[in-house]
Amino acid sequence: MVRSFSNEQYAGCTGYPADSHVTIWLTMSRARPVERCPECGNVLKMEYVGPAEDPHDHHAHTSEDTDHIDGAHNYEEPKTFADFVRPEYR
């Protein structure tokens, strides 16, 4: 479990047992909090502990942004190893 005050957090995996592979950097976000190391299979999960609303979010939402208010885009996210973690382990 990785705690984060920001919307995105990077964590380095060195494998299990420790230092069994080079550091692989994994990116977790509030939208995608679970990531899995492609080398050793370790699973990391981000727990957001920051404020409910980000006071530093300076993105102005205009009428043109109504389709993308949640920041989503129009294409499907590529699948990663984190997509294959059993739901009971998330």
Side-chain angles (χ1 to χ4, degrees):
M1 183 70 69
V2 178
R3 292 183 171 196
S4 176
F5 279 95
S6 66
N7 291 329
E8 188 172 83
Q9 182 69 40
Y10 298 98
C13 179
T14 59
Y16 183 82
D19 297 327
S20 62
H21 63 71
V22 297
T23 303
I24 295 177
W25 294 98
L26 305 170
T27 305
M28 296 161 286
S29 66
R30 288 176 74 181
R32 189 180 183 94
V34 178
E35 277 299 325
R36 186 173 189 170
C37 177
E39 184 74 22
C40 66
N42 278 343
V43 176
L44 298 174
K45 182 176 182 179
M46 184 182 97
E47 177 186 3
Y48 180 72
V49 294
E53 296 295 322
D54 186 4
H56 301 290
D57 186 13
H58 299 293
H59 296 93
H61 296 291
T62 63
S63 60
E64 299 165 358
D65 295 332
T66 55
D67 294 337
H68 307 291
I69 289 176
D70 63 351
H73 36 70
N74 291 330
Y75 60 88
E76 184 179 341
E77 286 276 340
K79 293 215 179 273
T80 67
F81 282 109
D83 293 317
F84 301 101
V85 175
R86 289 181 156 182
E88 60 264 25
Y89 296 128
R90 291 181 187 217

